[in-house]
Structures are given as C-alpha cells and as structure tokens.
Amino acid sequence: MNTFLKIFIILNTILVIFMAFYEIKNFKRFIFWFFIIYIFSIFGFLAYIVFGNALKFKAKQKLIIKQLKTKNYLKKIDYLKNNDTNLTNSIYKFTNKNFGSKAYTNNFIKTFLNGQDFLLDLIKEIKKAKYFINMEFYIFSDDETGKIIANELIIKSKQGVVVNIVYDAFGSKKTSNKFWEKLKDANINVYPFFPSPIKREFFNFKVNYRNHRKIVIIDGQLAYTGGINLRNDHMGKSKHLKPWRDTQIKIIGSAIYPIENIFINDYLISSKQDFNEEQISFYFPKISNKNNITLQVLNSGPEKEKPAIYETYLNIINSCKKYLIIETPYFIVKSEMINAIKNAMLKGVNVKIIIPKKGDKKMVYGATLYHLKQLLNAGAKIYLYPNFIHSKVLITENVASIGTCNFDNRSFFLNFENTCLCYDKKFIFKQLSFIKNDIKNSVTLTSNKYKRLKAKNIFVILFYKIISKLL
C-alpha cells in the first residue's frame, strides 16, 4: 500500500469519525454520508458540513438565547395578558401544548392571490406609515419590483419613519451591494440573515439554513405574510413562469404581535443587538381592532427541538375527517407524511393536491413527481395548475393554514418558516372558493399524464428513488 493511499484512508477515517458524532442517532444518514466522504474525501466532507449536518451548536445556542429574550417582550405587554380565547379545537390545543403557540383574537384578514395586488396594497400602506416599517424577505431583489419598494422606503425614512430590513443572505445573493448601500445611506437599518463571514456564499457553512420568511409589519397595526417575495417573477413578470399564482395575507388585529415577535427575533439575531423597554413599547403598540377572527401564528426553524409546522401538519392530517387540500409548488416529504395522507384516504377523506404544471426547478419538480406517485396510485386527486403556483396553503374542514412553508423537507426541517392557522369557518370557506377556482383552471393528473411527465424527468426521479432509501 503506497503512502498516498494510507494518508487517504487515515484522513477519511478521521472525517467519518467526526461526522459520526453528529449522525449517531440516524444510521441511514450516516451510511449515506459515509460513502460520500469515502468517495470524495475532503470534498465530500465539505459537502456534509454545508448540506448534511445539523445547525452548529454555537449558532443554535445564540438563536435560543435571543428567542428567550424576545419571548419575554410579549409577556411585558399588559394589554396582551387578557388575550384569552375559548377555542376548543383539538389542533389548537395540540399546537398550544407542544409549541406554546397562543391564539390571538379580534383579527381581520385579507387574502391576495397574486403579487401585483399585494404589491399595490403594500405600497399604499407604506405611504401611510407614521412610525415604523419592519420588513423581512427571503428574496429582496434589486430588479424593478425591489427598486419600487426601496424608493418608497427611502422616502419614508427621510420623513422620520424607522425602517428595519432583514433579508436572507442566500435567497438574496444576487442583489447587489449598491442596492443595500443606497438603503443604508438613507438611514435604513439593513441586515442579512446568516451571511458568509468572507462575503462569498460558497464559504457560508450556514447556507443550508435559510430564512424563508416573508413578513411586513407597519406601525404595529397591520402585517403581511405568505409566499410572495419582492422580485419580478413573483409579480407575474417572468416569461417562463406566467401566470404566477401565490397567496399572501394581510392581518389587522392582535395576531400582529407574534408576527412582530418573529421579526424582532430575526432582526436582533442579524443585527447583534438587544432592545430596551422603550423600544419594546414602540414596536408593540396597542391595537384597537374589533374584528372577530382568531388566529394562531406558528414558527419553526432548525434551532428548535421539534419541527413545529411539520408536526402540526401531521396532526391536522391525522385528525381531518372530510377533506384535505394542499396547494404547494413542491411536494417532497417523508414517508411518514405520505402514509398519514394515505391513511386519511382510507378513512374516507377527500384528498386534493394542487401543484404547478411547470416547475421552476427541474430537480425539485422531478422529486415532487416521485413523491406524489404513491398518492396518485392511492386515489388522491392531483391537479396541475397552468404554469406556476407558489402558494403554501393547507385546508381541512377544521383549519386553514397560510404561510411561508412549502410542503417539503427543506421547509419543514431546515428553513426558518412561519404559518398562520385560522379556525374560522367563514375564512375557511372563502379560501375554499379560491382553491375551487384554481382547480377549475387546472388539469387533472392522470396516469397517462404522469407517464409523460415522468419521461421528461426520468433521471431526477431515478436519482430520488435511490437516495430516498438512505435519507
């Protein structure tokens, strides 16, 4: 055995031992990365560091410590102490018990079904802002859409309105530094979430943990969240993905508080700051809205012990009795969730899943088709929306969930996400009417259509069929 081979084996063994400490509880993942490291050595290990391992202990601890502080911000607000709800819904009880997610009363909700309607409403509300604008987006682009919002924010900042922005370092990697500097020059506070320490995303070992949230809070009186980013294609301006169907909600009421809390946590993590009592009062003003919708805001991230949105969705699927509707651009889930949906169908639940007719990422679309095959064979109705749908919506007879979380393992286990759970029957029926219209405009995925789509994506499907046994 020559010297090079000995060094190669010794080095790989050391790397594998290091990796084993992180994967000792997951034998399948250990075997998968064992072969990757032994085949590609140091390059395989670097791939594991970036894409395979859990969030680093130090980063995780920082997130948890900051969350404990921001959680206490809500406790200090006197007018929230009487925010009691008489909800008896089993899903609410599950999420409240397991994830400490309270329900907030007296809300009004408006739904936007495309980016242009959302953008127009956002501009209108930005113009009316008097005190502060808090904004967090996975993608904040420097294209026409991003520049329109940036110019409005600069105007408000010059008028004395406090503007805070958090953007995901990976999601907004194509946005130029000049764009951010222009905002900073206007006294706008701008911070990237999990940036690379040397300004090169290739060397960012946190790149696998992305802040996928889309949140806007204005004056503590209204909030937006959902699937829409600030980029041209999300406004339906892409030649290849047009029309672009999405879902965004506008909330006026006390449910703004937990959304604001999510933003402030991400802002303080990114800016490495803390707030004093005066700042807490400033960002959590009293809301006098008298509407009657109760909302529960749920957030999840890789720093948490339990994947809150994933486990809540499992609970929703297991408890539904009549229908289950999922609208998502991607469907890549564990066999546990596929089995839960199949078991729901065995109980007589009517399952409908709406996905795009055309994917924005070939690899992800192929994986989506692979994971939907079992449900198609089991009798689920799957619809292909013309061109692209980006909504993140789940509806049953008992709850409607709208937020930032895709129906895929990345969103469930790696990303920082949030969703809103609404148990109001009128709101659920209204969302159903939107879904029915989407189905009306879609084509049903039949076995023959699936075969044609499979033929176009055969290599991706075969790839996922192989690695799904290991992951």
Side-chain angles (χ1 to χ4, degrees):
M1 185 181 293
N2 62 45
T3 304
F4 174 78
L5 187 58
K6 286 180 181 179
I7 293 172
F8 181 82
I9 292 172
I10 292 169
L11 175 63
N12 284 8
T13 302
I14 292 170
L15 295 176
V16 165
I17 291 170
F18 183 87
M19 181 266 293
F21 280 106
Y22 288 95
E23 302 298 343
I24 195 166
K25 294 181 180 179
N26 195 327
F27 182 71
K28 285 185 177 181
R29 277 173 56 84
F30 170 77
I31 292 297
F32 175 75
W33 286 107
F34 173 89
F35 282 111
I36 293 294
I37 291 171
Y38 260 93
I39 292 169
F40 299 105
S41 190
I42 190 68
F43 298 104
F45 185 73
L46 286 173
Y48 168 74
I49 290 294
V50 176
F51 299 109
N53 70 327
L55 188 63
K56 298 292 185 299
F57 178 79
K58 190 175 179 181
K60 188 174 181 178
Q61 287 302 107
K62 284 182 179 179
L63 286 166
I64 292 169
I65 290 168
K66 193 67 75 175
Q67 285 169 359
L68 289 172
K69 287 184 179 179
T70 53
K71 191 175 182 180
N72 289 329
Y73 292 165
L74 286 177
K75 291 180 180 178
K76 293 180 180 180
I77 303 170
D78 291 333
Y79 40 82
L80 274 181
K81 291 177 182 177
N82 296 321
N83 186 72
D84 295 325
T85 176
N86 58 0
L87 272 179
T88 58
N89 189 292
S90 63
I91 300 162
Y92 163 69
K93 290 181 177 179
F94 173 85
T95 49
N96 182 251
K97 179 182 177 182
N98 288 280
F99 311 114
S101 177
K102 291 178 62 177
Y104 289 80
T105 58
N106 303 322
N107 296 285
F108 163 81
I109 311 173
K110 182 176 181 178
T111 308
F112 301 94
L113 304 180
N114 60 71
Q116 283 289 354
D117 289 347
F118 161 64
L119 187 67
L120 290 173
D121 197 79
L122 176 60
I123 292 169
K124 180 186 74 174
E125 295 295 354
I126 288 174
K127 289 180 182 294
K128 293 192 294 185
K130 295 179 180 179
Y131 306 108
F132 68 85
I133 300 167
N134 289 335
M135 190 172 284
E136 177 173 14
F137 281 94
Y138 176 62
I139 303 172
F140 197 138
S141 181
D142 55 0
D143 59 14
E144 180 189 0
T145 299
K147 287 175 181 175
I148 288 171
I149 294 300
N151 290 336
E152 293 293 339
L153 295 176
I154 289 170
I155 291 169
K156 297 311 293 187
S157 181
K158 289 178 179 179
Q159 292 173 358
V161 174
V162 178
V163 181
N164 302 311
I165 297 174
V166 176
Y167 65 91
D168 184 74
F170 178 83
S172 301
K173 64 183 180 295
K174 293 183 179 179
T175 304
S176 68
N177 286 331
K178 286 183 179 179
F179 179 80
W180 302 126
E181 289 303 321
K182 187 178 179 180
L183 290 167
K184 291 175 184 177
D185 289 343
N187 292 320
I188 293 174
N189 303 309
V190 181
Y191 294 98
F193 191 89
F194 279 4
S196 170
I198 57 173
K199 310 296 183 184
R200 291 289 182 271
E201 285 310 310
F202 178 79
F203 295 100
N204 188 350
F205 290 160
K206 296 175 188 171
V207 73
N208 208 30
Y209 307 98
R210 303 166 193 172
N211 193 320
H212 196 243
R213 293 170 180 145
K214 299 95 180 166
I215 290 173
V216 182
I217 305 103
I218 298 177
D219 290 345
Q221 300 299 313
L222 64 91
Y224 298 92
T225 192
I228 303 174
N229 284 295
L230 296 180
R231 194 170 72 178
N232 280 348
D233 55 356
H234 287 241
M235 303 301 136
K237 295 181 179 180
S238 167
K239 293 179 181 179
H240 305 291
L241 296 172
K242 189 177 181 181
W244 182 291
R245 166 76 170 86
D246 221 320
T247 304
Q248 197 95 335
I249 55 174
K250 176 183 182 180
I251 301 164
I252 300 174
S254 59
I256 293 168
Y257 292 127
I259 296 174
E260 178 76 291
N261 208 57
I262 293 169
F263 171 84
I264 286 176
N265 184 78
D266 292 344
Y267 178 78
L268 296 182
I269 282 288
S270 303
S271 64
K272 299 178 182 178
Q273 299 175 21
D274 283 313
F275 280 163
N276 57 36
E277 297 286 337
E278 186 179 344
Q279 288 171 302
I280 296 168
S281 299
F282 178 69
Y283 287 115
F284 291 97
K286 192 169 184 178
I287 299 169
S288 58
N289 185 57
K290 299 297 181 183
N291 287 284
N292 60 357
I293 295 179
T294 297
L295 264 184
Q296 192 179 16
V297 179
L298 198 60
N299 75 91
S300 65
E303 84 285 7
K304 297 184 183 299
E305 291 300 320
K306 295 181 180 179
I309 296 177
Y310 177 78
E311 291 197 6
T312 298
Y313 279 7
L314 268 181
N315 181 266
I316 291 171
I317 293 165
N318 289 329
S319 62
C320 69
K321 292 181 173 60
K322 296 179 181 178
Y323 58 85
L324 168 66
I325 299 171
I326 299 166
E327 199 164 59
T328 177
Y330 322 118
F331 188 94
I332 307 169
V333 296
K334 289 185 173 184
S335 57
E336 176 187 31
M337 184 162 279
I338 290 176
N339 290 335
I341 296 173
K342 288 165 72 175
N343 288 336
M345 283 190 282
L346 290 174
K347 294 187 294 184
V349 174
N350 186 1
V351 174
K352 296 180 180 179
I353 301 171
I354 303 100
I355 64 167
K357 187 177 182 180
K358 183 179 181 181
D360 62 336
K361 301 176 183 71
K362 189 173 179 65
M363 284 287 288
V364 179
Y365 195 67
T368 293
L369 294 173
Y370 168 73
H371 285 83
L372 282 173
K373 184 64 164 66
Q374 289 185 55
L375 297 180
L376 182 66
N377 290 342
K381 295 288 185 183
I382 298 170
Y383 301 93
L384 304 175
Y385 186 82
N387 228 318
F388 196 66
I389 192 162
H390 194 250
S391 296
K392 298 96 167 57
V393 176
L394 181 146
I395 303 176
T396 74
E397 68 273 11
N398 294 317
V399 64
S401 171
I402 298 174
T404 70
C405 187
N406 292 314
F407 223 81
D408 65 10
N409 292 329
R410 162 160 290 286
S411 282
F412 288 141
F413 302 105
L414 298 174
N415 288 348
F416 296 85
E417 305 277 4
N418 64 270
T419 196
C420 296
L421 302 176
C422 183
Y423 307 97
D424 182 81
K425 294 295 182 183
K426 289 183 180 178
F427 181 81
I428 293 172
F429 290 145
K430 191 170 185 179
Q431 302 313 306
L432 276 176
S433 68
F434 300 144
I435 297 290
K436 286 178 181 177
N437 190 58
D438 291 338
I439 290 174
K440 183 180 177 182
N441 293 322
S442 302
V443 295
T444 305
L445 181 62
T446 61
S447 295
N448 287 334
K449 283 190 177 74
Y450 181 86
K451 287 176 183 177
R452 290 196 290 271
L453 285 173
K454 180 181 177 181
K456 292 179 181 178
N457 298 274
I458 186 64
F459 294 110
V460 177
I461 291 172
L462 286 173
F463 171 75
Y464 270 93
K465 193 170 185 179
I466 294 168
I467 69 166
S468 65
K469 305 298 181 184
L470 296 169
L471 298 177

